[in-house]
Amino acid sequence: MKFGMIGLGKMGMNLVLNALDHGHEVVVHDVNPEPVQTLAEKGAIPAESMEALARKLSRPRVVWLMVPAGDIVDQVLESVVPVLEEGDIIIDGGNSHYRDSISRAERLGDRGLRFFDVGTSGGMEGARHGACFMIGGDKETFEQHLEPLFRDLAVENGYLYAGRTGSGHFLKMVHNGIEYGMMQAIAEGFEILDKSEFDFDYEEVARVWSNGSVIRGWLMELTRNAFAKDPRLEGIRGVMHSSGEGLWTVQTALDVQASAPVIAMSLFMRYRSLEDDTFHGKVVAALRNEFGGHAVEKK
Amino acid sequence: MKFGMIGLGKMGMNLVLNALDHGHEVVVHDVNPEPVQTLAEKGAIPAESMEALARKLSRPRVVWLMVPAGDIVDQVLESVVPVLEEGDIIIDGGNSHYRDSISRAERLGDRGLRFFDVGTSGGMEGARHGACFMIGGDKETFEQHLEPLFRDLAVENGYLYAGRTGSGHFLKMVHNGIEYGMMQAIAEGFEILDKSEFDFDYEEVARVWSNGSVIRGWLMELTRNAFAKDPRLEGIRGVMHSSGEGLWTVQTALDVQASAPVIAMSLFMRYRSLEDDTFHGKVVAALRNEFGGHAVEKK
Amino acid sequence: MKFGMIGLGKMGMNLVLNALDHGHEVVVHDVNPEPVQTLAEKGAIPAESMEALARKLSRPRVVWLMVPAGDIVDQVLESVVPVLEEGDIIIDGGNSHYRDSISRAERLGDRGLRFFDVGTSGGMEGARHGACFMIGGDKETFEQHLEPLFRDLAVENGYLYAGRTGSGHFLKMVHNGIEYGMMQAIAEGFEILDKSEFDFDYEEVARVWSNGSVIRGWLMELTRNAFAKDPRLEGIRGVMHSSGEGLWTVQTALDVQASAPVIAMSLFMRYRSLEDDTFHGKVVAALRNEFGGHAVEKK
Amino acid sequence: MKFGMIGLGKMGMNLVLNALDHGHEVVVHDVNPEPVQTLAEKGAIPAESMEALARKLSRPRVVWLMVPAGDIVDQVLESVVPVLEEGDIIIDGGNSHYRDSISRAERLGDRGLRFFDVGTSGGMEGARHGACFMIGGDKETFEQHLEPLFRDLAVENGYLYAGRTGSGHFLKMVHNGIEYGMMQAIAEGFEILDKSEFDFDYEEVARVWSNGSVIRGWLMELTRNAFAKDPRLEGIRGVMHSSGEGLWTVQTALDVQASAPVIAMSLFMRYRSLEDDTFHGKVVAALRNEFGGHAVEKK
């Protein structure tokens, strides 16, 4: 089928290549002309403007946004919505907050547009060769217009119509919360190995744990890859950035009164890693000095 | 090759069947005659006593213990060691504490016996059709006498000579610690789904997360299986028992001063789940009543 | 001085009695006529309506709200603001969210009213005999019109002009977050005593820890009181409710990227205590059954 | 009464001065002659050797050890025990592990000596002017020979006969575990203040929280003192050392299957603070790079 892709970063680019492989026609647009050109050379239909994009699609148009979460989604919607017509379909495949998706769907619904919030997992490799999609929106529209596309872009069995609007991004958010916890669990395990009396070959450990163990899975395979490149990770710093979904998961857990100690701790350890020194540490150190005369470390 | 297996519970039984499939000869013994009989019917060589077992093996004998961790290992060693001879090899494939394994290896080494601590992962299914083995002990002995056996019993790429005595059980311990954290992370995710405003089909969620997502892996596939059997897990209670390795991992983290908040919290949530009510909860409830007049719930 | 008090629950009632003791004139109002009557008998000036309250105060009026946080504050403001005049002063002494206080101050400021957000600590006893106040708002107004009142109502050294609007309720919020952590720490300690091999007299333990120890303080004294009434807390359930400030503290920690594991865990343990069984527990139990054949507990 | 004190560090020195103030006769010994001399000048009876110490005391001798926990206690016992006689009393007032105290009591009991494990709290100031004592050992001996001494050295109501041997050090251990949690809770609160949009005067905050608030207590007063000396703690590093009792509390919680998330997290944050960078952080950063192409920070 024919659809439009707006946003040709790492994920958008790979999804288009994936779609082209499966014989779809993709009209592509980006604020940056370079990736448009690159994809045009590989068979995509370039669109230099939103108007061009709309013109090159037939109704109901399917327009997929693959842009960073937040204000950018609203900016892109503002510029693309005027060129769309009643019944057209907009997919937000990025990491938007599910509540934003719910309000966008309402706003767009008032104009007769159909909105889908789609969580995309699997990293760049998945986008290129078979991703995992969690899809929220109108079920009938999904089945009539979108399912074949997701079937092709997903790995086998790798897409789910999750339910009403918001459910796709909600699932993706929780998926990432779990991911935080799993990554921290793996990382703590290797830290214990690293501080132990033994001298393990971490790549080999990740290799054996990737084959037949209870904890095998893609994250363990990636762990192996990482150690293959740098056996002791000596070249990098343990600064753990985060892009928001872990935070949202913890916030949501608080909202719904769910105990989520592991996901929350994973997030706090990331925050902790961003600081060279901490104020709470200073307070504790000062207190130990006050009552027990324990020496503090001077700056 | 020919080796002896002592302990024919869920894991030992499946490992023997696995070995028989690969053409090995297995002399089997258990305190319970039933599984010995079962396996004899499938081609194993039954041994009604330790003496019989030793007699039916040739030197250097390879004797694999697959019994519960703790005193039982020592009891079995006490009864099997007298029938063994210098150079014979003992494998402890169970979940023993790595420090116990180190001291057993020393004790047995004094008698000329060679001891291997082998962590086994992959559950019953793995034991039957291809497990994951983490192996500690003398490297030369391993390569000369044991490697072909582990190559056959393991899934492809699924065994590792980990290093000196203790390293096999240490790796398995940390593996299980990671497992605790990963399971708790997955479980917290589903709890958030369950308390959310959406109405998810958990089997379907676990299905899509098993295909192409970042968090795909065996645990997610098992999650899917669990929901396939009981879509809301209504038939079971959320009591999370533990068998020791998570505890040991946290204890070891404390010993080596490694921060392991996620693994520790996973363990504490398990302990919490064993209690209907808690004393710490009573203290907090009583305190809230004391300073704020907040009502307590009476028993 | 003369001021009005709206809201004569546990805290408001005690603050009025405290103020009367110090020779202040207090015009009192409540939706419920009963406490108004009670206080009138003790020397307060009853006001059957907001109009009456305004009429009985002289400009600039000082009106203190002591009502539950949330919508009720806005409802009371809606009914009291119309009877006030430019320059009048409104104190919110309850547990409002500091962001609500900031927007209320702006809204009321537009009408020429001066708003103070005052966090009140010390429980009912403090309200009655000397509380602790954290005060946000205009500094000059505070010094000119309010300081003597707070000096009288507070315990010695027990009030602080904290800074601009919002800072009073912010401090109170964080105070409560710390309180959650301290209570949970104390409670965990007693749980460890309770599970230990020793047979402690908890009232005596809390008594000795209240005198001379590093952890002495009011919470420990209250712990002693609680055990004095029920030596093993056998009559109450360990259900730990929460009234919002701990949650807000954790949310704020997340907002500002501060690591707050102890306060967060205190909150999660409270949430956990509200449930007889958990969904995350079911998931973990089901998983253990899937890979290891470990028995689950049936409902 | 007359008793001996071995170990004249910060705590021992202050306890002796405290005892002298109360009219006790104290025979003092230390490996270092200097504090012996200092105390002799203040009225204590110097003993240049264990023999001298024993000679200068009358039976049943009361000998108080105030030395660092661990091997040193055993070394001192080895040198003092030979000069003692049946019925003599040994007090270990330091931070020994309660299990060590139990085995020492047994060993010494075999020689007819009576052992008391005494947890001492209140810091140096408490030792000097009134401490808090948690006392384990034989009840009758305590009442006959020791109670008046502890009554004098303790702040009012500040000593407790806790029960059989081990209970004194057990209580002190848990006391310190609670202390870890309370300190971390306070410290997290100030970290949130420090990252907030407000500009608080921390000394003033600690001052107001020390008067009338729910969280008032000695630790908050010490917090105030610390900020009085260095308003933003700019001169010190947030490195949080620990001396063992927090670790023992968490280990004991694990032993008895008590959930102690707050105490455990307090300890883990201390461990974390000892490291400039972490291996677990590297693993997470590397994984984020692997699946999402997120940049890592190079060393």
Side-chain angles (χ1 to χ4, degrees):
Chain A
M1 59 176 274
K2 197 173 182 179
F3 70 101
M5 176 69 76
I6 299 173
L8 303 172
K10 290 179 292 194
M11 293 297 286
M13 170 74 77
N14 280 314
L15 284 171
V16 172
L17 293 171
N18 186 350
L20 293 172
D21 282 355
H22 285 84
H24 297 281
E25 295 175 274
V26 197
V27 183
V28 296
H29 177 72
D30 195 284
V31 285
N32 181 353
E34 214 174 311
V36 177
Q37 183 55 29
T38 306
L39 285 171
E41 287 162 17
K42 309 217 172 194
I45 304 160
E48 74 283 2
S49 67
M50 293 298 180
E51 289 74 15
L53 181 117
R55 209 170 46 235
K56 292 178 179 185
L57 294 167
S58 45
R59 294 181 61 181
R61 297 175 184 89
V62 172
V63 177
W64 186 313
L65 272 56
M66 209 67 196
V67 300
D71 295 345
I72 298 188
V73 174
D74 287 317
Q75 287 163 23
V76 171
L77 286 175
E78 243 169 82
S79 63
V80 73
V81 163
V83 303
L84 298 180
E85 290 168 285
E86 196 170 334
D88 284 353
I89 295 166
I90 296 176
I91 293 167
D92 177 4
N95 277 334
S96 297
H97 196 290
Y98 76 98
R99 289 204 184 284
D100 289 339
S101 296
I102 291 172
S103 54
R104 281 170 192 147
E106 281 174 15
R107 229 163 53 225
L108 296 170
D110 292 345
R111 293 169 172 242
L113 299 172
R114 295 179 277 185
F115 180 85
F116 282 81
D117 56 291
V118 175
T120 308
S121 182
M124 293 177 294
E125 189 187 308
R128 184 64 188 84
H129 299 293
C132 170
F133 298 106
M134 299 143 250
I135 302 152
D138 180 62
K139 188 171 188 180
E140 209 178 321
T141 302
F142 171 73
E143 290 171 348
Q144 264 180 22
H145 297 288
L146 300 178
E147 189 154 15
L149 176 60
F150 283 107
R151 190 178 294 121
D152 285 349
L153 296 182
V155 75
E156 193 181 343
N157 251 325
Y159 70 95
L160 172 68
Y161 171 77
R164 65 177 169 83
T165 300
S167 62
H169 281 151
F170 191 92
L171 265 193
K172 177 62 186 346
M173 175 189 79
V174 173
H175 161 283
N176 281 30
I178 294 171
E179 182 188 299
Y180 275 52
M182 290 173 73
M183 284 165 72
Q184 177 72 19
I186 291 170
E188 290 178 6
F190 278 95
E191 174 149 339
I192 295 169
L193 297 189
D194 199 54
K195 290 193 159 78
S196 80
E197 67 205 68
F198 300 100
D199 180 34
F200 295 108
D201 178 328
Y202 302 143
E203 182 191 349
E204 284 292 279
V205 169
R207 188 262 301 162
V208 77
W209 283 351
S210 293
N211 292 289
S213 89
V214 174
I215 58 177
R216 69 183 182 260
W218 198 45
L219 282 168
M220 195 55 77
E221 288 164 29
L222 295 177
T223 305
R224 182 187 180 186
N225 293 349
F227 283 123
K229 292 172 191 163
D230 184 351
R232 299 273 151 178
L233 302 181
E234 284 167 343
I236 66 172
R237 295 183 58 220
V239 179
M240 301 178 272
H241 293 283
S242 50
S243 50
E245 303 242 329
L247 168 62
W248 298 343
T249 306
V250 177
Q251 287 173 329
T252 302
L254 294 171
D255 287 345
V256 302
Q257 298 208 338
S259 291
V262 155
I263 299 177
M265 282 306 107
S266 304
L267 184 65
F268 281 132
M269 295 311 276
R270 290 201 179 187
Y271 287 169
R272 174 63 186 82
S273 78
L274 304 180
E275 302 189 84
D276 281 333
D277 202 356
T278 65
F279 199 71
H280 75 255
K282 289 164 181 260
V283 174
V284 170
L287 278 172
R288 295 186 77 239
N289 179 257
E290 286 295 324
F291 67 72
H294 303 289
V296 293
E297 297 192 17
K298 296 286 167 73
K299 278 207 118 163
Chain B
M1 59 176 274
K2 198 173 183 180
F3 70 99
M5 175 71 74
I6 299 172
L8 304 172
K10 289 178 295 193
M11 293 298 288
M13 169 75 75
N14 280 314
L15 283 171
V16 172
L17 293 171
N18 186 351
L20 293 173
D21 281 354
H22 284 84
H24 297 280
E25 294 176 274
V26 196
V27 183
V28 297
H29 177 73
D30 194 282
V31 285
N32 181 352
E34 215 173 309
V36 177
Q37 182 56 28
T38 305
L39 284 171
E41 286 161 17
K42 309 216 172 195
I45 303 159
E48 74 283 0
S49 67
M50 293 297 181
E51 290 74 15
L53 180 118
R55 208 171 47 235
K56 294 176 179 187
L57 293 167
S58 47
R59 292 178 66 178
R61 297 176 185 88
V62 173
V63 177
W64 185 314
L65 272 54
M66 207 69 195
V67 300
D71 294 345
I72 298 188
V73 174
D74 287 317
Q75 287 162 23
V76 172
L77 285 176
E78 243 170 84
S79 63
V80 73
V81 163
V83 302
L84 298 180
E85 291 169 282
E86 197 171 334
D88 285 351
I89 295 167
I90 296 177
I91 294 167
D92 176 4
N95 277 334
S96 295
H97 196 291
Y98 75 98
R99 291 204 183 283
D100 290 339
S101 296
I102 291 173
S103 54
R104 282 171 192 144
E106 281 172 16
R107 228 163 52 226
L108 296 170
D110 293 344
R111 293 171 172 241
L113 298 173
R114 296 179 277 185
F115 180 84
F116 283 82
D117 55 293
V118 175
T120 308
S121 182
M124 292 176 296
E125 191 187 305
R128 184 64 188 83
H129 299 292
C132 170
F133 297 105
M134 297 144 252
I135 303 152
D138 179 62
K139 188 170 188 182
E140 207 178 324
T141 303
F142 171 72
E143 289 171 348
Q144 265 180 21
H145 297 288
L146 300 178
E147 190 155 13
L149 176 60
F150 283 109
R151 189 178 295 122
D152 284 350
L153 295 182
V155 72
E156 193 182 343
N157 250 325
Y159 71 93
L160 172 69
Y161 171 77
R164 64 179 170 84
T165 300
S167 62
H169 281 151
F170 191 92
L171 265 193
K172 177 60 185 348
M173 175 189 79
V174 173
H175 162 283
N176 280 30
I178 294 173
E179 181 188 300
Y180 276 51
M182 291 175 73
M183 285 166 73
Q184 178 71 18
I186 291 170
E188 290 179 8
F190 278 96
E191 174 149 339
I192 294 169
L193 297 188
D194 200 54
K195 289 193 160 77
S196 79
E197 67 205 69
F198 300 101
D199 181 35
F200 295 107
D201 178 329
Y202 302 142
E203 182 190 349
E204 284 291 280
V205 169
R207 188 262 299 159
V208 77
W209 283 350
S210 292
N211 292 288
S213 90
V214 174
I215 58 177
R216 68 182 182 262
W218 198 45
L219 281 168
M220 194 56 76
E221 288 164 29
L222 295 176
T223 305
R224 182 186 180 187
N225 293 351
F227 283 123
K229 291 172 190 161
D230 184 350
R232 301 270 150 181
L233 302 180
E234 284 167 346
I236 67 173
R237 295 183 60 220
V239 179
M240 300 178 274
H241 294 283
S242 49
S243 50
E245 302 243 330
L247 169 62
W248 298 343
T249 307
V250 177
Q251 287 173 330
T252 302
L254 294 170
D255 288 345
V256 300
Q257 298 210 337
S259 291
V262 154
I263 299 177
M265 282 306 108
S266 303
L267 183 66
F268 281 133
M269 294 310 278
R270 290 201 179 186
Y271 287 168
R272 174 63 186 82
S273 79
L274 304 180
E275 302 189 84
D276 282 333
D277 202 357
T278 65
F279 200 70
H280 74 256
K282 290 166 181 260
V283 173
V284 170
L287 278 173
R288 294 186 79 239
N289 179 256
E290 286 295 324
F291 68 72
H294 303 289
V296 295
E297 297 192 18
K298 297 286 169 71
K299 280 206 116 161
Chain C
M1 59 175 275
K2 198 171 181 179
F3 71 99
M5 177 70 75
I6 299 172
L8 303 171
K10 289 178 294 193
M11 292 297 287
M13 170 74 77
N14 280 315
L15 283 171
V16 172
L17 293 170
N18 186 351
L20 293 173
D21 281 355
H22 284 84
H24 297 281
E25 295 176 272
V26 197
V27 184
V28 298
H29 177 73
D30 194 284
V31 286
N32 180 354
E34 216 174 306
V36 177
Q37 183 55 30
T38 306
L39 284 172
E41 287 162 16
K42 311 219 170 190
I45 303 160
E48 73 284 2
S49 67
M50 293 298 180
E51 289 76 14
L53 180 118
R55 209 169 48 235
K56 294 176 180 186
L57 293 168
S58 46
R59 296 179 62 182
R61 297 175 184 89
V62 173
V63 177
W64 185 315
L65 271 56
M66 208 67 196
V67 299
D71 295 344
I72 297 188
V73 174
D74 288 316
Q75 288 162 25
V76 172
L77 286 176
E78 243 170 83
S79 63
V80 73
V81 164
V83 303
L84 298 180
E85 290 169 283
E86 196 172 335
D88 285 352
I89 295 166
I90 297 176
I91 293 167
D92 176 4
N95 278 333
S96 296
H97 196 289
Y98 76 99
R99 290 204 183 284
D100 289 340
S101 296
I102 291 173
S103 54
R104 281 168 193 146
E106 281 174 15
R107 229 161 53 224
L108 296 169
D110 292 344
R111 292 168 172 243
L113 298 173
R114 295 179 279 185
F115 180 84
F116 283 81
D117 55 291
V118 175
T120 308
S121 183
M124 293 175 294
E125 191 188 305
R128 183 64 189 85
H129 300 292
C132 172
F133 298 107
M134 298 142 250
I135 303 152
D138 179 63
K139 188 171 191 181
E140 209 178 321
T141 303
F142 171 72
E143 288 170 350
Q144 265 180 23
H145 298 288
L146 301 178
E147 188 154 16
L149 176 59
F150 282 109
R151 190 178 294 121
D152 284 350
L153 296 182
V155 75
E156 193 183 342
N157 250 325
Y159 71 94
L160 172 69
Y161 171 76
R164 65 178 170 82
T165 301
S167 62
H169 281 151
F170 191 92
L171 266 192
K172 178 61 185 348
M173 175 188 80
V174 173
H175 161 284
N176 281 31
I178 294 173
E179 182 189 299
Y180 275 52
M182 290 174 73
M183 285 166 73
Q184 178 71 20
I186 292 170
E188 290 178 8
F190 278 96
E191 174 148 340
I192 294 169
L193 297 188
D194 201 54
K195 290 195 159 78
S196 79
E197 68 206 67
F198 300 100
D199 181 34
F200 294 108
D201 178 329
Y202 302 142
E203 183 191 349
E204 285 291 279
V205 169
R207 190 261 300 159
V208 78
W209 283 350
S210 293
N211 293 288
S213 90
V214 174
I215 58 177
R216 67 183 182 262
W218 197 44
L219 281 169
M220 195 55 78
E221 289 165 28
L222 295 176
T223 305
R224 182 186 180 188
N225 294 351
F227 283 123
K229 292 171 189 161
D230 184 351
R232 300 271 150 180
L233 302 181
E234 284 167 346
I236 66 173
R237 294 182 58 220
V239 179
M240 301 179 273
H241 293 282
S242 50
S243 50
E245 302 242 332
L247 168 62
W248 299 341
T249 307
V250 177
Q251 286 173 331
T252 302
L254 294 171
D255 287 346
V256 301
Q257 297 209 340
S259 291
V262 155
I263 300 177
M265 283 305 108
S266 303
L267 183 66
F268 281 133
M269 294 311 276
R270 290 201 179 187
Y271 287 169
R272 175 61 185 83
S273 79
L274 304 179
E275 302 189 84
D276 283 332
D277 202 356
T278 64
F279 200 71
H280 75 256
K282 290 166 182 257
V283 173
V284 170
L287 278 172
R288 295 186 78 239
N289 179 256
E290 286 295 325
F291 68 71
H294 303 289
V296 294
E297 296 192 18
K298 296 287 168 72
K299 279 209 118 161
Chain D
M1 59 177 274
K2 196 172 183 179
F3 70 100
M5 176 71 74
I6 299 172
L8 303 172
K10 290 177 294 192
M11 292 298 288
M13 169 75 75
N14 281 314
L15 283 170
V16 171
L17 293 170
N18 186 351
L20 293 173
D21 282 352
H22 285 85
H24 296 281
E25 297 175 273
V26 197
V27 184
V28 297
H29 178 74
D30 195 282
V31 284
N32 180 355
E34 213 174 309
V36 177
Q37 182 57 28
T38 305
L39 284 171
E41 286 161 17
K42 310 220 172 193
I45 303 159
E48 72 285 0
S49 67
M50 294 297 180
E51 289 73 16
L53 181 117
R55 208 170 49 235
K56 293 175 181 189
L57 293 167
S58 48
R59 294 180 62 180
R61 298 177 184 85
V62 173
V63 177
W64 186 313
L65 272 54
M66 208 66 193
V67 299
D71 294 345
I72 299 188
V73 174
D74 286 317
Q75 287 163 22
V76 172
L77 286 175
E78 242 169 86
S79 63
V80 72
V81 163
V83 303
L84 298 180
E85 290 168 284
E86 194 170 339
D88 285 351
I89 295 166
I90 296 176
I91 293 167
D92 176 4
N95 278 333
S96 296
H97 195 290
Y98 75 99
R99 291 207 182 282
D100 289 339
S101 296
I102 291 173
S103 55
R104 282 170 192 145
E106 281 174 15
R107 229 161 53 223
L108 296 169
D110 291 345
R111 291 165 172 247
L113 299 172
R114 295 178 280 184
F115 180 85
F116 283 83
D117 54 293
V118 175
T120 308
S121 182
M124 292 175 295
E125 189 188 306
R128 183 64 189 83
H129 299 291
C132 171
F133 298 106
M134 298 144 252
I135 304 151
D138 179 62
K139 188 171 189 180
E140 210 178 320
T141 303
F142 171 72
E143 288 170 348
Q144 266 179 22
H145 298 287
L146 301 178
E147 188 154 17
L149 176 60
F150 283 108
R151 191 179 294 121
D152 285 348
L153 295 182
V155 75
E156 192 181 343
N157 251 325
Y159 71 93
L160 171 69
Y161 171 76
R164 64 178 170 84
T165 300
S167 62
H169 280 151
F170 191 93
L171 265 193
K172 177 61 183 352
M173 175 189 79
V174 173
H175 162 282
N176 282 29
I178 294 173
E179 182 188 298
Y180 275 51
M182 290 174 74
M183 285 167 73
Q184 177 72 17
I186 291 170
E188 290 178 7
F190 278 95
E191 172 148 341
I192 294 169
L193 296 188
D194 200 54
K195 289 194 160 77
S196 79
E197 67 205 70
F198 301 100
D199 180 34
F200 294 107
D201 178 328
Y202 303 143
E203 182 190 352
E204 284 292 279
V205 169
R207 189 262 299 161
V208 78
W209 283 351
S210 293
N211 292 288
S213 90
V214 174
I215 58 178
R216 67 183 183 261
W218 198 46
L219 281 169
M220 194 55 76
E221 289 164 27
L222 295 176
T223 305
R224 184 186 178 186
N225 294 350
F227 283 123
K229 292 172 190 162
D230 184 350
R232 301 271 151 179
L233 303 180
E234 284 166 346
I236 65 174
R237 293 183 59 219
V239 179
M240 302 179 273
H241 293 282
S242 50
S243 50
E245 302 241 332
L247 168 63
W248 298 343
T249 307
V250 177
Q251 287 173 330
T252 302
L254 294 171
D255 287 346
V256 301
Q257 298 209 339
S259 291
V262 155
I263 299 177
M265 282 305 109
S266 303
L267 183 66
F268 281 132
M269 293 312 277
R270 291 201 179 187
Y271 288 168
R272 175 62 186 82
S273 79
L274 304 180
E275 301 189 84
D276 282 331
D277 202 357
T278 64
F279 199 71
H280 74 256
K282 290 165 182 259
V283 173
V284 170
L287 278 172
R288 292 186 79 240
N289 179 256
E290 286 295 324
F291 66 73
H294 303 288
V296 294
E297 297 192 16
K298 296 286 167 70
K299 280 208 117 164

